Amino acid sequence: MEEINPWQTLESELKYDNNWISVTEHQVINPSGGNGIYGEVHFKNVAIGILPLDENYNTWLVGQYRYPLKAYSWEIPEGGGALDKEPLDGAKRELLEETGMSAKNWQEIQRMHLSNSVSDELSVIYVATDLIQGIAMPEETEQLIVKKLPFEEAYQMVLTGKITDSMSVAAILKAKLMILNGDL
């Protein structure tokens, strides 16, 4: 099977637009030849996640209420970065804002699309090490609880479904594999 686009776009209409996302409805002919619609969410930022790890393999999670889920969520420090800037710059800013920490060492461990059936949102995930504690400066929309815990406990939270955020799950599972392989 060739890697070609089997979709044909007939018409597109912007349905919603704000500073963070836009939603477009496309009139299409689908891969089977039928008429249909396809809704596409375009993100105006890169999603950024940071897994801070100290020399004893402790990490930090950020807890907050997530409005779309109507539920509380434990996550790695996360945020957004401008599409035209280096994701690492956004990662450094987000780690400082949410935890008050900075790091001397940064390693990109994963790039992934968060929901590629309906959106183009790209995520870049880093491990931050050689940490320096400062003062957190969360945004006004963030009411955060920051919790230090052993990395293994965060890993168990993923395995038991207590962490469901996709970037957090991916970061923790990838880091666990890297630790087992001696790459981290």
Side-chain angles (χ1 to χ4, degrees), residues 4-173:
I4 60 170
N5 180 1
W7 293 84
Q8 182 181 354
T9 304
L10 302 173
E11 186 178 314
S12 299
E13 182 181 353
L14 182 65
K15 296 287 190 175
Y16 178 79
D17 188 52
N18 67 25
N19 290 337
W20 302 277
I21 64 168
S22 63
V23 178
T24 303
E25 181 179 276
H26 303 282
Q27 302 298 318
V28 298
I29 297 176
N30 67 34
S32 298
N35 288 327
I37 62 170
Y38 208 111
E40 176 186 4
V41 180
H42 167 68
F43 281 79
K44 298 179 180 180
N45 287 292
V46 171
I48 297 169
I50 307 99
L51 179 67
L53 280 178
D54 70 11
E55 63 281 356
N56 297 316
Y57 288 99
N58 291 304
T59 193
W60 285 256
L61 295 178
V62 176
Q64 63 183 308
Y65 187 86
R66 287 297 191 179
Y67 187 84
L69 300 179
K70 309 294 185 263
Y72 203 80
S73 179
W74 284 102
E75 308 163 2
I76 63 173
E78 298 175 352
L83 292 173
D84 63 346
K85 299 224 178 356
E86 284 298 316
L88 181 57
D89 294 336
K92 290 177 179 180
R93 184 193 71 250
E94 287 296 334
L95 183 64
L96 183 61
E97 281 178 7
E98 293 191 359
T99 69
M101 287 188 281
S102 57
K104 291 183 182 175
N105 298 309
W106 291 85
Q107 181 179 359
E108 182 180 318
I109 63 165
Q110 187 71 48
R111 284 185 182 233
M112 61 187 210
H113 290 97
L114 296 180
S115 185
N116 65 3
S117 65
V118 295
S119 90
D120 62 359
E121 188 174 24
L122 173 67
S123 167
V124 182
I125 302 171
Y126 297 91
V127 170
T129 57
D130 204 355
L131 304 168
I132 302 159
Q133 187 63 59
I135 297 171
M137 298 173 281
E139 296 176 2
E140 68 176 26
T141 60
E142 297 175 319
Q143 187 176 29
L144 308 176
I145 296 174
V146 179
K147 173 167 72 168
K148 179 182 178 181
L149 67 161
F151 173 79
E152 190 61 31
E153 187 176 330
Y155 175 68
Q156 291 301 318
M157 289 174 74
V158 168
L159 294 183
T160 60
K162 292 180 180 161
I163 294 177
T164 61
D165 169 70
S166 61
M167 284 198 298
S168 300
V169 170
I172 291 167
L173 293 179

